[in-house]
């Protein structure tokens, strides 16, 4: 028993300073990396670098510095860095094959930074999701959904898929379809609907709003009601025009038809 205690003491005396030194280096290194990355972002901000690029480069620099810190800590524990590098090189192929998806996402993030199909704050639709770009990281992009949910999309799929950016042009057309009865006067209906559009403060004068007959449906004459608004005012205009159109048509005595169901009863003689 005494022999084991002595061996433990010898091992403790030999490795304790190395472990403590490595631990101190790790803690101080992580703190220093945080300061360096934060300072770099501030400098890029003062230099007028795009916010999206600031965060991406900050994340990339943070990961690179953490890898270097990890190698330093390992070396302080007594592991030969040359041997460690050889192990990394030998495992590189296997890791690369295992992380094909992650490498594709990293490449996708780089492509997004280069071609800039969107930036932080843009409203985009992609991969079946729609939301405001919240953050572009090394491997993923985060969107803030319209119902305030966080959507995380891999950069690989994002860079290779269709992207609809609703913010780039600054304006959007609101597409509404409003149906009225076949008994309604078409010209009067157009005047009522156009007045609803032109009287709304958030509907743009240019491009001019339009109201046109789009379809002679089974039970209604459908009008394509198309006002324009800024990207920020899109939903306000969408909901306001829908509500105001119903009120205006009711006040004008123009009927908005609803689906009718006809029941046929067969009677036996």
């Amino acid at each position: 028993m005494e022999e084991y205690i002595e061996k433990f003491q010898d091992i403790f005396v030999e490795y304790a300073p190395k472990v403590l030194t490595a631990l101190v280096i790790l803690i101080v290194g992580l703190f220093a990396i945080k300061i360096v990355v934060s300072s770099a972002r501030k400098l890029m901000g003062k230099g007028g670098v795009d916010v999206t690029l600031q965060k991406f480069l900050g994340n990339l620099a943070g990961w690179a510095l953490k890898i270097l810190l990890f190698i330093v800590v390992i070396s302080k524990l007594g592991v030969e860095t040359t041997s460690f590098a050889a192990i990394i090189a030998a495992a590189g192929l296997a890791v690369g094959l295992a992380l094909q998806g992650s490498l594709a996402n990293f490449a996708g993030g780089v492509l997004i930074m280069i071609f800039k199909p969107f930036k932080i704050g843009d409203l985009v639709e992609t991969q079946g999701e729609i939301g405001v770009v919240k953050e572009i990281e090394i491997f993923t992009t985060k969107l803030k959904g319209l119902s305030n949910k966080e959507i995380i999309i891999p950069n690989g799929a994002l860079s290779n898929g269709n992207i609809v950016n609703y913010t780039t042009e600054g304006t959007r057309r609101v597409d509404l379809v409003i149906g009225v009865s076949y008994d309604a006067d078409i010209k009067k209906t157009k005047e009522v609907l156009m007045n609803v559009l032109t009287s709304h403060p958030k509907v743009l004068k240019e491009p001019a709003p339009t109201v046109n007959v789009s379809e002679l449906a089974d039970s209604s004459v459908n009008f394509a009601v198309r006002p324009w608004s800024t990207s920020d005012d899109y939903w306000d205009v969408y909901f306001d025009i829908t509500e105001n159109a119903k009120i205006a048509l009711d006040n004008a005595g123009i009927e908005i038809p609803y689906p009718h169901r006809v029941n046929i009863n067969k009677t036996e003689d």
Side-chain angles (χ1 to χ4, degrees), residues 30-268:
L30 290 174
F31 182 73
I33 288 172
K34 185 176 181 181
I35 293 176
V36 169
V37 172
S38 178
S39 300
R41 285 183 176 177
K42 289 180 180 178
L43 288 174
M44 287 188 289
K46 292 180 180 179
V49 179
D50 183 72
V51 176
T52 304
L53 189 59
Q54 289 180 35
K55 292 190 175 182
F56 184 83
L57 292 177
N59 289 332
L60 187 60
W63 278 102
L65 291 173
K66 286 176 183 177
I67 291 173
L68 291 175
L69 176 63
F70 177 72
I71 294 174
V72 172
V73 171
I74 289 294
S75 67
K76 287 299 178 182
L77 291 174
V79 179
E80 291 292 336
T81 54
T82 53
S83 302
F84 186 69
I87 293 172
I88 293 178
L93 180 60
V95 172
L97 292 173
L99 299 178
Q100 286 185 53
S102 296
L103 293 175
N105 291 333
F106 175 77
V110 173
L111 290 175
I112 290 173
M113 289 296 100
I114 294 174
F115 296 105
K116 297 182 179 179
F118 52 79
K119 62 181 184 299
I120 292 176
D122 284 358
L123 176 65
V124 300
E125 182 177 358
T126 180
Q127 299 296 311
E129 303 286 352
I130 182 170
V132 177
V133 179
K134 180 181 177 183
E135 188 171 357
I136 302 173
E137 298 183 333
I138 297 175
F139 300 108
T140 61
T141 293
K142 294 181 180 179
L143 306 182
K144 183 178 180 181
L146 298 180
S147 57
N148 204 35
K149 59 184 178 181
E150 184 177 70
I151 304 167
I152 302 175
I153 302 176
N155 286 336
L158 188 59
S159 63
N160 289 313
N162 294 332
I163 300 173
V164 180
N165 192 326
Y166 293 107
T167 305
T168 304
E169 298 300 324
T171 59
R172 292 182 64 183
R173 189 181 73 185
V174 181
D175 292 337
L176 297 171
V177 176
I178 297 176
V180 300
S181 170
Y182 269 92
D183 295 331
D185 182 272
I186 290 180
K187 289 185 178 181
K188 182 180 179 182
T189 302
K190 291 181 69 173
E191 289 175 0
V192 171
L193 293 175
M194 183 59 76
N195 184 58
V196 170
L197 301 183
T198 55
S199 62
H200 195 286
K202 293 184 178 180
V203 172
L204 300 177
K205 306 299 181 184
E206 188 64 36
T210 60
V211 178
N212 296 290
V213 176
S214 63
E215 182 185 12
L216 301 178
D218 292 338
S219 59
S220 65
V221 178
N222 293 336
F223 288 81
V225 180
R226 295 177 175 175
W228 288 79
S229 71
T230 64
S231 298
D232 292 338
D233 292 336
Y234 177 85
W235 290 109
D236 289 339
V237 172
Y238 182 95
F239 292 123
D240 287 351
I241 296 301
T242 301
E243 179 180 342
N244 294 344
K246 174 65 167 64
I247 295 172
L249 291 173
D250 287 346
N251 292 336
I254 299 173
E255 179 186 358
I256 298 177
Y258 51 88
H260 292 78
R261 179 177 296 173
V262 178
N263 293 323
I264 301 176
N265 297 319
K266 293 184 178 180
T267 59
E268 296 181 359

